[in-house]
Amino acid sequence: MSTIETEATAPESAGSVRWARRREVIAEVLRNPLTVVGFVIIAAFLLMALFAPLLTEPNQPDPYQSPRDWANIDSPPGEAGHVLGTDSQGGDVLYGVIWGSRLSLQLSLTVVLTTVVIGTIVGSIAAMRGGRLDNLLMRIVDVFLAIPELIFALAIAAVLGPSFRNIILALAAVFWVKYARIIRGEIIRIKQSEYVAAARVVGDSTWNIFRKDVFPNSVTPMVVQATLDMGNVVLIGATLSFIGLAQAGLTEWGAMVSAGQSGLLAGEWWVSTFAGLAIVLWALAFNLVGDGLRDVLDPKTEGR
Amino acid sequence: MTSTSQADASVAVDSVVTLHDVQVHYPVKEGLLQRVSGHVRAVDGVDLTIPRGQTLGLVGESGCGKTTLGRVVAGLVAPTGGELWFGLTADQHEHVNRIRAIAPGERSAEDQALWRQLEREHRLGSMTKERHREYRRNCQVVFQDSFASLNPRQLVRDIVGRPLRVHREASGSEVDARVVELLERVGLGAQHLLRYPHQFSGGQRQRISIARALALNPEFVILDEPTSALDVSVQAQILNLLVELQQDLGLTYLFITHDLGVVQHMADDIAVMYLGQIAEYGPTDQVFFDPLHPYSRILRDSNPSLEDEEVGERWELSGTVPNPINPPRGCRLHPRCPVATDLCGWSVTDALEHVETAAPAVFEHIDAVNRSTDFLAEVAMSDDASAALMAREINSSPAGVALTQPAISNGKVVSLTLRQVDDAELLPIRELRSSACLRTQQQGVLPSS
Amino acid sequence: MTEDWLLKVDDLGVQFHSPRGTSQAVDGVSFTMKPHETLALVGETGCGKSVTARSILRLVAQPPGEYSSGSVQLRNDDGSVTDILSAPERVVRNIRGNRVSMIFQDPGKALNPALTVGRQLAEVFGEHRLGMVLEKAGLPTSRPGGTLVKIAQQRAGWLSVRLFQLFRRDAARALKKAMDDEVASALADTGIANPRKIMGSYPHELSGGMKQRVMIAQALACDPDLLVADEPTTALDVTIQARILRLIHDLQQRRGTAILYITHDLSLVKEFADRVAVMYAGRIVEMGPSDQVLKSPQHPYTQGLLAAIPRADTPRGELEAIAGTVPQLVDAPPQCHFASRCAFAAQACHGHIPQPTVVSEGRLVSCFRFSRAEELDVSAEEMPQPAEAIGGGRR
């Protein structure tokens, strides 16, 4: 009897209520104009990466090497059919910027996703188990954190040898510790909360408590950090390729800035500038979004 | 420390929970190596029986250990010492008390078997898995802060339905039907099923907490300050609801609160806690109108009331809460008690603490304190003059009353001998009443000031 | 001027703006305080009592807050009147601390964790009681000299303090001693047994009760005419609450300070307040001498509030709860905000805002049960049942 009543008085479904909640949050996030700007820039980059083969003819056999127009080396923007000019090897800068967005996306997504997963697992185990294991894992994290990210990544990449894949590996090796630390702190805080105590009183299993109570309430700061890191990873990755840790001629923005550097003194500003601009915009966009998310999802950590 | 106290007076009654000498000591770690330098005695030797079908009020001020004790009973905090029994009948209770009194090595085979069986079925920590599950179902908690005790990311349907799912009481659409029933029981309805906790007022959230606690038809609910975050008008709604539920469902309550007005209204019996121990236990009205522990009287006198009748002289608590790592000897209240005498357990520490606050200049001249016991010590001073001052300060301190002979300085050394007093225990004073006040235990009534 | 008032709050309105709308947190609150009297402002969470208290010192953050109407007038010693809401910031800052002090609910947050208690109090003395301290130290009070003032106000740098100690050793010593004595005696006044030891402590080393005493010493250090105490004991245990309240009361008796006492607990009012104003949803619903209001409450809300408090003789489970919850004040309609929970509510209550009506000497009630139909321009059937003559109320 009451089932029918339930049906009658609750026309909404749980799913629609949850969606309504999410929509509220999204609306709140989008209220900040800077966040919207960030989203627009990110969307532009994503479209660029997605439609790269349509925007420019992929180079054969490797699309991540700029096609060489040996007839027009160092040509300035707008001349000889090169909208953003060419570099000293005749590589088209526009092509590089467009295909570089694919590499940046690949770099940041791979690094952030893998490190979030690793960091979450390590941090969660440390926080949930506690005791000696926690102590051991956190000391390892401390060692990692004691060395500046860039220098550590640089050392790893240098040992592994110059290639784009090694840059990804190096960055992944460095970034996971941050997430481990963040999630551990949050889990320890949430574990003290009364709703976790309430779940224990009900008799639910530790895994269920982790899954339903602890984890969903602990992820927010990590989501914010991951968003910020989508930008940071590209920034550090570009630094590594700038100093020559990527293959030569790669359409990686950092590598392009490096390649254009020699021409700067000769007044050939366009190569480094456009590639550099792409890096800056990318990092800026994710920082804007990350900050916006933090303000909405996690107001108390503002300005941390 | 094993207590020989039988102050729960274990007049065998059917109980939902029985505590025997329960302790919760948290280690205090210090320094780089995290060496344990002492223990915070949050709960320190509590005997308590929660009789079936009644409301037991647990009152005390912040830091007295009442919340920790509630969490021990709820199974959320493991006691570091003592026994916690669940669902003992009067007969079983008698057996437990009888066998416990026999040293483990001297128990007959029969007793040993019975003890083991009782432990398996009733003692928390030794129970079989099945029995533990039963205990979980039967013992639920309503927390103080309804905002913190409801997962902000779950819908009411999931919060209230969770116990049903965990214990496989219901599944699928059955859960929703049961949840609606529960919500209606606490004055909410089906329209609240698909809402998040933040969409409710404080009183409504507390109703959701109560609905969750009732989901498994428990016989025992721990109410940990259920109304102290609420306004009075809403508090009245919740208290009425709790009474109604108790009458309809035959619930047993452990009502933890600092609010004397509320506990007086709600509880049949009350236990007054001070510094990790129970100071007084007895029927609520009797404890209110004829307290048998100075602390109960101070609590009552401090409680603002709208009643017109004059209580006469008001007793006050002096000083501040002592360090729970090293609580006072004898009666724990004595350094702050308005009616303390030499009987109450003044120790060397009390005397020196007095000197430290009253005459810091003298205190600075202490070279060494050689304690033979807590009541017997020699204080070496840096010079003769300060030793004489020290002796004078000690004699005039509150602890001075307990000196077996006045402290005198002998050269640089001041020796002091205080009356040795055993630590206070909760003892029966008269029918249904027990008190841990050493003077009340001697005189049978609350000492007058 | 023969008027005998210290503070006059007139038609005070405070709004808060948020994306969801405008909420009228304080709506037309008026009351007058005489010198030396204690007025309790009582109400439940969100009724606007704290916002009212903060408005008196113009402490409501703007935005999101906004003073939408009214004035807060403070009478000066020479008989002139300052409107705190419209006065220049410099004047208001001078009033804060010098003439009106405030004690907050959480003493921990109001003290600076990085300074010792003695130092913080010395700052207050240096700022507000400089002349007295200098006089006690036997130093010239008329033109004390910049360094001396800075040192007394604890604002001098390390070097200038050292130089001063070097060249004017006697003055430095005398100043330090006078300051320490003042601070110690202010602390001792609040019942602290060992003020010298407390002076050397940092706030985190003190218990809640002790911190609240320090706050009181600090608030009273400048001998204000009015002390605003916003739930000063809510965070404390009952045994300490009684001591702190009695302490404030005693100090008031001795110094003749007026106290505006904000609380949610009606049972504290009886003992510690001369008059009480009960607030509900931003408005004062009833005001009068505390013993009379507590004995024969006239507004249905006050009646409900009193009946909801458990008493020794209330049968268990039969507390008279007020049904429903406090209404949302975001863009609230112009009506009696209590109407939705009121047993007497009639049609008239939903269409008009009740105005304070004098029901007997010194007693005001804002309820249509005390109005006549003609005043509202409605028919008699739309009016709630009229209240009985005063004294015939419940209890």
Side-chain angles (χ1 to χ4, degrees):
Chain A
M1 147 208 134
S2 40
T3 322
I4 300 159
E5 265 177 29
T6 318
E7 241 62 324
T9 48
E12 336 159 66
S13 71
S16 73
V17 173
R18 291 205 181 91
W19 262 114
R21 173 87 188 273
R22 266 167 225 159
R23 270 207 307 275
E24 265 174 47
V25 174
I26 291 168
E28 186 84 11
V29 169
L30 293 182
R31 191 169 287 145
N32 183 347
L34 283 176
T35 313
V36 178
V37 169
F39 271 121
V40 169
I41 299 174
I42 291 170
F45 274 121
L46 287 184
L47 291 174
M48 201 194 255
L50 190 62
F51 296 113
L54 300 179
L55 294 170
T56 52
E57 181 80 7
N59 192 19
Q60 295 299 338
D62 181 1
Y64 295 106
Q65 292 282 342
S66 286
R68 309 280 182 232
D69 181 359
W70 293 107
N72 294 298
I73 61 171
D74 288 336
S75 88
E79 282 175 28
H82 299 287
V83 182
L84 298 181
T86 59
D87 62 15
S88 56
Q89 315 276 305
D92 184 62
V93 175
L94 180 64
Y95 184 96
V97 168
I98 289 172
W99 285 85
S101 69
R102 278 198 159 193
L103 281 180
S104 294
L105 192 65
Q106 197 187 330
L107 174 73
S108 51
L109 270 184
T110 332
V111 170
V112 170
L113 285 182
T114 50
T115 53
V116 161
V117 170
I118 297 170
T120 303
I121 292 172
V122 173
S124 302
I125 290 173
M128 293 302 284
R129 292 290 295 274
R132 282 198 187 163
L133 185 64
D134 179 27
N135 231 326
L136 177 75
L137 290 172
M138 283 307 115
R139 291 304 79 77
I140 294 173
V141 166
D142 283 346
V143 169
F144 274 77
L145 284 174
I147 308 166
E149 275 168 9
L150 178 63
I151 295 184
F152 201 8
L154 186 74
I156 296 173
V159 168
L160 295 175
S163 86
F164 187 65
R165 183 151 34 134
N166 288 346
I167 291 180
I168 293 181
L169 279 175
L171 288 176
V174 174
F175 268 79
W176 68 272
V177 284
K178 226 184 328 184
Y179 299 114
R181 178 145 222 153
I182 291 172
I183 196 90
R184 173 182 171 271
E186 280 302 294
I187 289 179
I188 286 177
R189 192 173 65 83
I190 299 294
K191 259 173 76 179
Q192 318 278 335
S193 71
E194 285 197 338
Y195 52 81
V196 170
R200 285 172 61 200
V201 168
V202 160
D204 217 343
S205 64
T206 310
W207 169 243
N208 269 341
I209 292 176
F210 176 76
R211 197 167 58 86
K212 291 184 184 168
D213 301 300
V214 176
F215 190 69
N217 287 295
S218 317
V219 286
T220 319
M222 199 169 65
V223 169
V224 171
Q225 187 60 47
T227 314
L228 295 172
D229 280 346
M230 285 290 289
N232 297 344
V233 162
V234 167
L235 217 52
I236 296 184
T239 314
L240 295 183
S241 24
F242 176 80
I243 55 179
L245 289 171
Q247 300 99 311
L250 195 66
T251 59
E252 209 282 333
W253 296 335
M256 287 167 66
V257 173
S258 171
Q261 192 195 198
S262 54
L264 273 178
L265 285 176
E268 293 146 8
W269 51 271
W270 49 90
V271 185
S272 292
T273 306
F274 289 120
L277 207 59
I279 297 172
V280 169
L281 275 179
W282 179 283
L284 180 74
F286 280 102
N287 270 287
L288 289 178
V289 172
D291 276 341
L293 285 179
R294 167 153 59 202
D295 291 349
V296 173
L297 301 177
D298 211 17
K300 51 188 178 305
T301 56
E302 202 177 340
R304 184 164 62 183
Chain B
M1 176 166 87
T2 55
S3 160
T4 51
S5 151
Q6 291 299 318
D8 46 353
S10 318
V11 221
V13 286
D14 288 1
S15 66
V16 287
V17 171
T18 302
L19 309 178
H20 176 75
D21 195 26
V22 165
Q23 301 169 353
V24 182
H25 292 183
Y26 294 111
V28 180
K29 291 176 180 167
E30 254 177 23
L32 199 63
L33 296 172
Q34 296 286 290
R35 221 159 30 85
V36 176
S37 63
H39 286 90
V40 172
R41 295 151 179 256
V43 175
D44 201 15
V46 164
D47 292 331
L48 198 62
T49 301
I50 301 169
R52 195 175 291 274
Q54 297 199 348
T55 302
L56 173 64
L58 189 59
V59 229
E61 296 182 285
S62 52
C64 73
K66 59 184 192 301
T67 296
T68 310
L69 190 61
R71 290 190 167 225
V72 168
V73 176
L76 286 169
V77 169
T80 53
E83 302 162 12
L84 212 143
W85 301 84
F86 161 67
L88 289 179
T89 63
D91 289 351
Q92 288 169 328
H93 202 160
E94 267 175 10
H95 281 305
V96 167
N97 284 340
R98 182 179 58 78
I99 301 173
R100 188 196 295 124
I102 311 170
E106 291 161 23
R107 289 172 191 166
S108 66
E110 201 184 330
D111 278 349
Q112 276 179 27
L114 180 60
W115 180 261
R116 244 175 285 138
Q117 192 207 335
L118 283 167
E119 279 196 325
R120 240 190 350 265
E121 287 180 6
H122 298 285
R123 186 171 169 186
L124 212 67
S126 316
M127 278 180 191
T128 57
K129 235 180 172 174
E130 246 155 80
R131 283 289 292 170
H132 192 263
R133 224 177 140 73
E134 211 169 307
Y135 158 75
R136 271 269 133 277
R137 296 179 50 127
N138 270 307
C139 168
Q140 291 296 316
V141 185
V142 175
F143 292 93
Q144 168 180 3
D145 184 348
S146 60
F147 209 81
S149 66
L150 302 175
N151 184 342
R153 284 169 205 264
Q154 282 191 324
L155 296 169
V156 169
R157 166 219 246 176
D158 299 324
I159 292 171
V160 179
R162 186 167 186 178
L164 301 170
R165 290 210 180 83
V166 169
H167 289 265
R168 307 217 163 73
E169 291 270 299
S171 58
S173 61
E174 231 182 306
V175 176
D176 275 4
R178 288 282 298 278
V179 170
V180 171
E181 246 172 71
L182 286 160
L183 289 178
E184 279 166 359
R185 185 80 254 202
V186 298
L188 298 170
Q191 72 274 22
H192 298 117
L193 210 53
L194 297 176
R195 300 243 188 110
Y196 286 101
H198 71 91
Q199 294 169 302
F200 294 90
S201 70
Q204 288 175 317
R205 280 199 302 270
Q206 206 53 291
R207 287 174 194 266
I208 297 169
S209 289
I210 294 170
R212 169 175 62 192
L214 295 180
L216 296 168
N217 288 320
E219 53 184 22
F220 176 44
V221 180
I222 299 164
L223 305 164
D224 186 1
E225 307 246 14
T227 60
S228 46
L230 304 176
D231 283 320
V232 260
S233 66
V234 183
Q235 163 175 291
Q237 295 171 4
I238 299 292
L239 293 181
N240 285 348
L241 172 68
L242 288 171
V243 172
E244 185 194 316
L245 291 169
Q246 180 172 41
Q247 283 163 356
D248 292 356
L249 306 172
L251 297 170
T252 304
Y253 286 149
L254 176 63
F255 199 109
I256 303 172
T257 182
H258 68 276
D259 187 327
L260 265 84
V262 169
V263 85
Q264 187 182 15
H265 179 73
M266 293 292 288
D268 299 296
D269 290 341
I270 60 174
V272 180
M273 260 190 109
Y274 180 75
L275 216 59
Q277 294 184 333
I278 290 178
E280 177 168 4
Y281 181 92
T284 308
D285 287 344
Q286 293 188 32
V287 174
F288 261 87
F289 293 112
D290 174 27
L292 287 181
H293 196 289
Y295 184 65
S296 319
R297 166 138 186 202
I298 292 165
L299 273 186
R300 184 197 71 187
D301 289 356
S302 311
N303 190 44
S305 139
L306 286 168
E307 307 323 298
D308 281 329
E309 106 269 356
E310 267 310 309
V311 275
E313 190 203 352
R314 276 189 170 157
W315 287 16
E316 278 192 10
L317 212 52
S318 57
T320 50
V321 184
N323 186 349
I325 296 174
N326 192 9
R329 299 298 311 273
C331 168
R332 295 207 164 172
L333 186 67
H334 78 258
R336 312 178 68 191
C337 180
V339 291
T341 63
D342 58 325
L343 270 179
C344 297
W346 296 96
S347 65
V348 174
T349 313
D350 296 326
L352 293 179
E353 271 177 6
H354 170 79
V355 177
E356 189 184 0
T357 50
V362 179
F363 189 78
E364 276 167 24
H365 287 281
I366 296 178
D367 276 351
V369 180
N370 304 313
R371 282 170 221 243
S372 313
T373 69
D374 278 343
F375 303 97
L376 185 66
E378 287 189 340
V379 182
M381 304 296 289
S382 60
D383 54 69
D384 293 7
S386 58
L389 282 173
M390 182 61 139
R392 217 173 62 201
E393 283 297 332
I394 288 173
N395 287 327
S396 65
S397 77
V401 292
L403 290 166
T404 50
Q405 67 221 35
I408 31 167
S409 55
N410 183 3
K412 291 182 188 174
V413 177
V414 183
S415 38
L416 55 160
T417 320
L418 291 141
R419 179 172 176 161
Q420 182 149 0
V421 175
D422 288 333
D423 282 342
E425 282 170 2
L426 189 66
L427 294 177
I429 305 292
R430 57 179 91 126
E431 205 185 337
L432 303 173
R433 308 282 309 269
S434 8
S435 166
C437 173
L438 294 164
R439 289 189 70 196
T440 306
Q441 288 169 3
Q442 205 179 45
Q443 302 174 0
V445 289
L446 188 72
S448 52
S449 54
Chain C
M1 293 255 278
T2 53
E3 278 178 282
D4 180 28
W5 57 267
L6 173 69
L7 179 80
K8 198 180 249 174
V9 175
D10 188 33
D11 190 36
L12 176 69
V14 183
Q15 297 180 336
F16 284 93
H17 301 284
S18 73
R20 271 175 294 140
T22 298
S23 62
Q24 190 78 36
V26 177
D27 189 2
V29 163
S30 304
F31 60 88
T32 308
M33 283 186 75
K34 297 193 181 81
H36 320 310
E37 90 166 329
T38 304
L39 172 68
L41 210 50
V42 184
E44 298 182 293
T45 314
C47 72
K49 56 186 192 298
S50 275
V51 178
T52 306
R54 279 159 189 271
S55 303
I56 289 172
L57 283 169
R58 209 164 90 191
L59 286 174
V60 174
Q62 312 177 67
E66 186 204 339
Y67 297 106
S68 54
S69 71
S71 61
V72 176
Q73 296 172 50
L74 186 69
R75 214 152 78 113
N76 301 320
D77 295 333
D78 58 5
S80 64
V81 169
T82 310
D83 178 11
I84 295 178
L85 294 189
S86 62
E89 182 65 28
R90 185 181 47 81
V91 174
V92 176
R93 210 175 298 145
N94 194 33
I95 286 174
R96 290 178 199 150
N98 271 335
R99 302 208 48 220
V100 183
S101 314
M102 189 152 177
I103 310 176
F104 296 93
Q105 176 175 350
D106 187 347
K109 281 187 195 148
L111 291 170
N112 183 342
L115 297 179
T116 62
V117 166
R119 168 86 197 252
Q120 292 185 52
L121 278 169
E123 271 180 23
V124 177
F125 275 101
E127 184 74 32
H128 299 287
R129 307 290 291 279
L130 184 62
M132 192 193 68
V133 173
L134 291 176
E135 196 182 323
K136 287 252 165 74
L139 295 167
T141 50
S142 51
R143 293 175 64 193
T147 324
L148 191 60
V149 171
K150 267 194 182 162
I151 288 174
Q153 294 180 347
Q154 318 290 315
R155 287 192 290 119
W158 177 85
L159 191 66
S160 55
V161 171
R162 279 296 128 94
L163 286 174
F164 189 79
Q165 281 171 349
L166 203 62
F167 292 110
R168 298 187 58 191
R169 191 185 292 165
D170 292 339
R173 265 203 207 137
L175 180 64
K176 170 130 178 55
K177 185 172 179 308
M179 189 62 99
D180 283 358
D181 287 349
E182 276 310 304
V183 171
S185 85
L187 286 172
D189 259 4
T190 65
I192 290 175
N194 43 349
R196 304 262 169 190
K197 189 180 167 197
I198 297 295
M199 278 163 66
S201 321
Y202 288 91
H204 70 91
E205 296 171 321
L206 306 177
S207 65
M210 212 49 118
K211 274 186 269 193
Q212 198 56 285
R213 278 162 203 263
V214 172
M215 281 299 299
I216 291 170
Q218 191 168 332
L220 295 179
C222 18
D223 215 351
D225 296 328
L226 172 65
L227 178 67
V228 180
D230 187 1
E231 306 250 10
T233 57
T234 307
L236 306 176
D237 282 323
V238 273
T239 53
I240 300 175
Q241 163 172 291
R243 278 156 77 190
I244 296 280
L245 289 178
R246 219 156 290 148
L247 168 76
I248 297 178
H249 196 65
D250 289 350
L251 291 173
Q252 179 195 23
Q253 297 294 313
R254 246 189 296 148
R255 303 189 179 205
T257 316
I259 296 183
L260 180 64
Y261 179 37
I262 317 294
T263 180
H264 66 279
D265 194 344
L266 265 174
S267 41
L268 292 172
V269 168
K270 187 179 127 210
E271 204 174 331
F272 296 105
D274 306 320
R275 286 195 305 143
V276 58
V278 181
M279 282 188 79
Y280 184 79
R283 298 178 187 150
I284 291 181
V285 295
E286 177 160 8
M287 181 153 60
S290 8
D291 48 344
Q292 287 184 32
V293 172
L294 293 183
K295 228 180 225 114
S296 65
Q298 294 300 309
H299 194 282
Y301 174 66
T302 321
Q303 290 170 354
L305 207 54
L306 279 164
I309 299 173
R311 291 164 194 252
D313 55 355
T314 326
R316 191 178 300 170
E318 293 176 22
L319 292 168
E320 293 186 36
I322 305 175
T325 48
V326 181
Q328 286 289 320
L329 290 180
V330 177
D331 300 322
Q335 63 168 40
C336 171
H337 290 322
F338 190 61
S340 59
R341 304 174 74 183
C342 181
F344 300 101
Q347 211 175 339
C349 306
H350 291 278
H352 301 79
I353 299 172
Q355 298 302 323
T357 313
V358 178
V359 296
S360 71
E361 175 76 34
R363 291 196 65 177
L364 293 172
V365 179
S366 301
C367 178
F368 292 127
R369 297 187 67 208
F370 296 90
S371 314
R372 277 168 302 145
E374 308 82 82
E375 296 166 20
L376 296 177
D377 207 15
V378 294
S379 70
E381 296 89 72
E382 292 176 37
M383 292 297 288
Q385 177 204 350
E388 297 159 36
I390 199 154
R394 280 196 283 185
R395 291 183 196 279

